[in-house]
Amino acid sequence: MGIIGAGPAGLVLANVLQQAGIGCVVVERHTRAYVEARARAGVIEHRTADFLARHGLADRLLAESARHGSCEFRYQGERFSVPYGALTGGRDHLVYPQQFLVRDLIESFLGAGGTLFFSHPVVGVAGLDSDRAVLRCEPAGSDAELGDGVGRGEPVDIDCEFVAGCDGFYGAARPSVPAGRLRAFGRQHEFGWLAILAEAPPSTEEIIYALHEEGFAGHMLRTPTVSRYYLQVPVGDAVENWPDARIWATLRRRLAVADWELKTGRITETSILDMRSFVVEPMQYGRLFLVGDAAHIITPAGGKGMNLAVADAGELARALTAYYAGAGSHLLDGYSAARLPEVWRTQEFSRWLLNLTHSPVGGSTDAPFMHRLQLSRLAQLRDSETFAATFADGYAGARPVLSPV
Ligand code: RFL
């Protein structure tokens, strides 16, 4: 089994296959130091933690993460919380930075004797509809990062029975599928997000989503000393327009409620996120299976991308395990069909959350009307337990549906 990419999808798949005694090799474009430092997600759903724990991959996650079962909404100086954990019978989130999970998964895979080549970009995959697939890699980087016997810059071919494309949206796997075999569905959202990471303690005990006429503001949790924030910005805005003082002033204004203070600190990272959603159908072609962001991307609203990636990896591991146990290929053949309903349900939830919390883009004549609809929806979320329970079901994530591999 060839696995392209050492992100959450590739590493979960590699660990679970290794435990099942299925030979696999992971090939990653970047260095180990780079992937272990790449800060992205932080919200881990209950069923994701559950799945990792069942495979002995969650020791540090369970010991060091913070547990959250409610989130807060703010608008026009008002605030209210939705106890989604209680509303879903205990499906709380764990907050744990993605790069820590990646570090833990690399450690366990290598510790159990796994083969992982860092600094090995895959440039193409051939033979997807023949009896053997070939990964072509072109190693780069320092000799110390290269595998045994592989010279710097020498192209390497790896023969595999199957390939898992776990290489994110910009990877090499999806483009290796012949034209016309996959159908892509996408949407570029009508606003951008400025994503901010700061060495600042959280100013809240739960994630905050704030709707303000100027635009959305979010306060996410990461660790006791690091926090993440998001600001809705116009499409095409640039990081250079956002000096630190403007960021803090805007967060303070959009998040404002009585008797509350925003704690500040050194801003370590700002970027403008490409607010795009994308799904490819089917999520497989011949010997290739697309897993995680390689098959679908979702905006960070609701913290879903990494959780979907792990669920894809779990389903593919289940199908491969059945196949190698001699149970036939029906689960492998049905991989995409098994995953797509949840992928679309999650896309729908994420877009719903964006509609709820983002100011209609200025200039449109119906913006004030749309804003009133948002306020009505927020009031229903606050006042109706049925409405809140539906939100909680989507926010907490699907019930565990994967049977143990
Ligand atoms: P990844 O993590 O992008 O990993 C892909 C790996 O493949 C490597 N690669 C290649 N390797 C070899 N050859 C090539 N040609 C290659 N091309 C690429 C890359 O170097 C990389 O190591 O995809 P994966 O595993 O599918 O995981 C997906 C998640 O990373 C992603 O969905 C989440 O980060 C999304 N997301 C969030 N998800 C959540 O579930 N909860 C959250 O709270 C959350 N917050 C976020 C997020 C994403 C964010 N950004 C940056 C878009 C917050 C942010 C700011």
Side-chain angles (χ1 to χ4, degrees), residues 4-9 27-30 35 38 40-43 98 120-122 166-168 171-172 222 228 230 273 291-293 300 303-307 309:
I4 315 174
V27 188
E28 163 59 45
R29 160 199 289 278
H30 287 293
V35 298
R38 189 169 43 193
R40 299 177 89 184
V43 175
Q98 176 169 331
H120 272 52
V122 170
C166 306
D167 48 352
R222 288 298 182 260
R228 193 182 260 300
Y230 296 119
L273 297 187
V291 186
D293 278 15
K304 296 293 179 189
M306 183 174 72
N307 292 288

Side-chain angles (χ1 to χ4, degrees), residues 44-51 67 90-94 396 400:
I44 296 181
E45 288 173 6
H46 179 267
R47 50 86 184 250
T48 306
D50 218 46
F51 178 76
R67 206 180 172 87
R91 284 189 267 148
D92 289 350
H93 284 145
L94 297 182

